[in-house]
Amino acid sequence: MKPALSGLRRLALILMLALIVPASHPEPVRAQAPQYDANCNPRTWDDDTAFQAELCSAHVGCRMVFGLAKICGKVKSFFNKIGSLFSRDGEIDNNDVFDAATDDLVTTPAVDGYVGIARNTGRRLTSSEAKSAPGSTITSTTSYTVTDGRLTYVESQTGKPGVMPGSGTPTVSIGDDGRMVRGLVGDKGLNGIGEIRDPDGTVRGGYFSNGKQQGNGFVSGSEGGRAYVTEGVFADDKLNGRATTTFGDRSSRRELWEGGTRIAVGPSAPAGQAPVEAVYKSPAQLAAEEEQAFAASIAKMGPGELFAKADELRAAGKLDLARQTLRSLVSRFPNSPLAATAAQQLSGFGGGGSSGTRPGGGSPGGGAAPSPGSPGGAVGTRPAPPGGGGNYRTQIPDPILTASWYNRYTAHNLPLAECKAQANGDVQRNLAARIKPMQSTGSAAYSARAAAIMLEFAMVVFRQCEQDPQLAPVLTQLSNTRRQTIQTCRQVATGPSMCTEPWE
């Protein structure tokens, strides 16, 4: 960067640049420019940046653009580019502003070619070039247009050699919304090879017809914070057929497009390697592949994982996949305690109960019990008769578990094997893990309280099998053992009430 110029020399250069805008086209009065963000706060600029800002402000198109958020975020690189262009020939024009605003465009040989042609087409010839052009009468003009409230500053040049009559006028225009256009502009827009920078920063280039991309060209974009450019064939501004996307690190991939919609993406290839062609797959093919992938994934799961997956799928409304998962559990692990529960869910799938709640409750890891009053029971089971569920808690002396545990197990007339599976399943193991610290204190009272909790849990679960003739002696044994355990706790506890304090 050149050292900061003296104030007198700066003034002379700025006055010279100001002459670029003819007096016959005074700039219309506009609303105040938007406030700059931290990167565009003049108080933070060094001398070189401040001088480059002065150079930019002397040119209408540059002044219109550099305050926009997209440019403001890269103020340093934008002004550096403006400074280098000014140093090149002593003046800047719309073409230079276009280059400075798009200097982060990812390029390829083809993209460079389109940009070079568009730049050369829009470039205004110097006075000496115009005079030396054989048989040409070159006229440079600047003007303003207002369309839908958008102000556009236009620099154009008629009579340039090599321009086909009727195709348009070599033009570079800059809108106060950040839209820039360069190339041959006719009554309906760009014709031939040109380039457009949209207000959101997207750059499009290649062949145009009546303002729309038609034929070979490119469009820029960003994916996951990575800039890229996609090259292909356009029809009415929309990509169609095969395309190639190249990223800033030179990695690339093939894609398939239809009517502006990307329908297939090939694998990415590192820099220097040709990417593999993208292959289109119909929705039916994709669905079949997803089904195969799902079947392969559950084939690797154990019974607990399958049960949890079925719960997850059912809660998400994916009932067909939930059924498939439960069938896999029952067929592959018939001796698992969870198999009977899975079979019961399958038999009543789609019936009453909460779609996200398992018989036996909770996820395979157990988790916290549902809040009191939350839906309980299994899909397809009959509701408990009067006295079941939370009411059953009133029939147990000194209950410790809260009502939510009782509301969780409200099925009725289950086979004894089902109750045994629930009493020894994942929820029971999780409960045991949660009260283990109580048993590890070394206190006889806390150990007795922990045992009473586990016994009460078994009673709540086996209550669902009350009609089974084998259940009566089991419930009697559980009840007696629990009563004796609580008595032992009260005998050794410093505060007898702690033995039956509610436990979630």
Side-chain angles (χ1 to χ4, degrees), residues 292-302 305-306 324 328 332-333:
Q292 292 173 1
F294 178 78
S297 68
I298 64 174
K300 301 175 183 178
M301 296 180 182
E305 293 173 304
L306 289 167
Q324 184 178 346
S328 178
R332 291 170 51 212
F333 303 100

Side-chain angles (χ1 to χ4, degrees), residues 73-74 264 304 443 461 488:
K74 57 176 186 176
S443 165
V461 173
T488 301

Side-chain angles (χ1 to χ4, degrees), residues 39-54:
N39 289 329
C40 287
N41 184 350
R43 290 175 296 181
T44 66
W45 291 345
D46 54 31
D47 288 343
D48 286 338
T49 303
F51 175 57
Q52 290 161 354
E54 291 175 349

Side-chain angles (χ1 to χ4, degrees), residues 308-324:
K309 188 66 176 178
D311 253 357
E312 174 189 326
L313 293 167
R314 183 170 56 183
K318 300 177 180 179
L319 301 184
D320 287 342
L321 295 180
R323 290 188 186 94
Q324 184 178 346

Side-chain angles (χ1 to χ4, degrees), residues 170-191:
T171 300
V172 184
S173 63
I174 297 177
D176 61 357
D177 61 350
R179 177 180 169 83
M180 306 181 192
V181 177
R182 64 179 172 187
L184 293 176
V185 177
D187 293 338
K188 296 183 180 180
L190 275 176
N191 288 301

Side-chain angles (χ1 to χ4, degrees), residues 131-170:
K131 291 179 180 178
S132 63
S136 297
T137 302
I138 298 175
T139 304
S140 298
T141 60
T142 59
S143 61
Y144 295 95
T145 62
V146 179
T147 304
D148 297 329
R150 186 182 76 248
L151 175 69
T152 301
Y153 175 62
V154 181
E155 294 179 349
S156 59
Q157 203 168 45
T158 60
K160 283 183 68 174
V163 176
M164 184 180 297
S167 59
T169 302

